[in-house]
């Protein structure tokens, strides 16, 4: 049962009684309120069993606007959020190059983490963080949400049933102007901040394809899910990304 969730329990005569859980809501902080951070912020505020205790961003103007119109408490750094708001968990939605330091800081303070994909720009760092989360007994999940979409779940079921025989080749494609734009560039296209299209965009089709064969149940997610790919494969992808960015 989730903390703070409303549940129905029998009243002794077989009829359910509507009761409120006595467990406190999960205290959550959002780190980075750009494109994806704003989405996570909206979702967190809509959940009844979540108490949004603060947001962190480097842009003062953005923090001022959000505080003015939402009343949410704002902080200029993760350290200040952890010290003053004491969240149970944080959602990290900053540029990829900053993920490793932020995730490590949260885990070392005993805070659960949901991090936007990709986890880091280094397979070794990702493995290190996964081991740290496991050692601390903390939940650490990366935002590969496509793996839990019903379409991919159904494909996995059909493959396991042998509906089309043995699969020997998979073609996965993704389209969008997020990384490559006709004019200008963003942090997503730079090697040291976003990793380029193989890291930022191709991460979804690659993990969705692999997840089709080994997608964990949403109700039984491993405590630490740093990467869906073997370390050797991640290193090969990283070398390719460096050549193409």
């Amino acid at each position: 049962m989730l903390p703070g969730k409303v549940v129905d329990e029998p009243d002794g005569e077989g009829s359910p009684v509507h009761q409120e859980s006595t467990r406190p809501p999960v205290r959550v902080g959002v780190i980075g309120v750009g494109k994806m951070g704003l989405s996570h912020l909206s979702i967190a505020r809509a959940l009844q069993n979540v108490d949004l205790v603060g947001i962190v961003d480097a842009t003062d103007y953005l923090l001022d606007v959000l505080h003015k119109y939402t009343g949410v408490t704002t902080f200029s750094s993760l350290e200040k959020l952890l010290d003053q708001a004491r969240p149970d968990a944080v959602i990290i939605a900053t540029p990829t190059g900053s993920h490793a330091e932020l995730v490590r800081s949260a885990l070392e303070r005993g805070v659960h983490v949901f991090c936007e994909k990709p986890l880091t720009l280094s397979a070794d760092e990702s493995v290190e963080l996964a081991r740290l989360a496991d050692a601390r007994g903390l939940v650490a999940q990366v935002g590969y949400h496509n793996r839990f979409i019903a379409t991919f779940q159904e494909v996995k079921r059909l493959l396991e049933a042998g509906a089309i025989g043995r699969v020997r080749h998979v073609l996965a494609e993704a389209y969008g102007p997020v990384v490559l734009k006709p004019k200008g560039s963003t942090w997503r296209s730079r090697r040291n901040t976003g990793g380029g299209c193989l890291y930022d965009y191709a991460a979804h089709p690659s993990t969705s394809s692999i997840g089709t064969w080994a997608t964990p149940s949403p109700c039984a997610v491993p405590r630490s899910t740093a990467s869906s790919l073997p370390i050797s494969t991640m290193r090969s992808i990283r070398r390719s990304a460096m050549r193409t960015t």
Side-chain angles (χ1 to χ4, degrees), residues 211-227:
T212 299
W213 281 268
T215 303
S217 166
C219 296
V221 178
R223 286 188 298 177
S224 55
T225 309
S227 172

Side-chain angles (χ1 to χ4, degrees), residues 162-239:
I164 59 174
R166 182 178 180 183
V167 177
R168 298 178 180 274
H169 177 77
V170 175
L171 173 64
E173 300 179 350
Y175 300 92
V178 176
V179 180
L180 302 178
K181 294 186 175 181
K183 295 182 180 180
S185 63
T186 70
W187 60 265
R188 298 176 185 275
S189 60
R190 293 190 288 271
R191 181 192 306 175
N192 63 338
T193 54
C197 51
L198 278 176
Y199 271 75
D200 187 82
Y201 220 57
H204 272 313
S206 61
T207 56
S208 296
S209 298
I210 293 175
T212 299
W213 281 268
T215 303
S217 166
C219 296
V221 178
R223 286 188 298 177
S224 55
T225 309
S227 172
S228 302
L229 300 174
I231 295 177
S232 58
T233 304
M234 288 296 293
R235 285 172 175 159
S236 298
I237 291 177
R238 183 171 186 267
R239 287 193 292 269

Side-chain angles (χ1 to χ4, degrees), residues 43-192:
I43 294 171
R45 284 174 59 85
L47 297 174
Q48 293 183 353
N49 60 319
V50 167
D51 181 10
L52 182 66
V53 297
I55 58 176
V56 176
D57 199 88
T59 306
D60 292 337
Y61 172 75
L62 182 57
L63 294 180
D64 291 341
V65 170
L66 286 171
H67 176 70
K68 178 179 179 180
Y69 290 101
T70 68
V72 66
T73 305
T74 62
F75 299 92
S76 59
S77 70
L78 172 61
E79 288 72 23
K80 290 182 179 179
L81 171 74
L82 296 176
D83 288 339
Q84 300 176 33
R86 298 186 179 279
D88 301 312
V90 293
I91 299 170
I92 296 176
T94 58
T96 308
S98 64
H99 286 181
E101 181 180 353
L102 293 172
V103 172
R104 185 180 295 107
S105 296
L107 293 176
E108 288 177 345
R109 294 285 294 271
V111 176
H112 304 288
V113 173
F114 178 93
C115 183
E116 263 299 321
K117 61 82 192 163
L119 179 55
T120 73
L121 297 175
S122 163
D124 292 336
E125 278 188 323
S126 295
V127 171
E128 174 198 343
L129 294 176
R131 288 172 175 166
L132 176 59
D134 190 60
R136 298 295 179 92
L138 297 169
V139 174
Q141 187 174 3
V142 184
Y144 291 116
H145 61 274
N146 287 334
R147 297 183 64 182
F148 302 102
I149 292 177
T151 304
F152 294 102
Q153 295 284 339
E154 178 64 9
V155 171
K156 182 174 185 293
R157 187 188 70 80
L158 292 172
L159 288 173
E160 290 177 343
I164 59 174
R166 182 178 180 183
V167 177
R168 298 178 180 274
H169 177 77
V170 175
L171 173 64
E173 300 179 350
Y175 300 92
V178 176
V179 180
L180 302 178
K181 294 186 175 181
K183 295 182 180 180
S185 63
T186 70
W187 60 265
R188 298 176 185 275
S189 60
R190 293 190 288 271
R191 181 192 306 175
N192 63 338

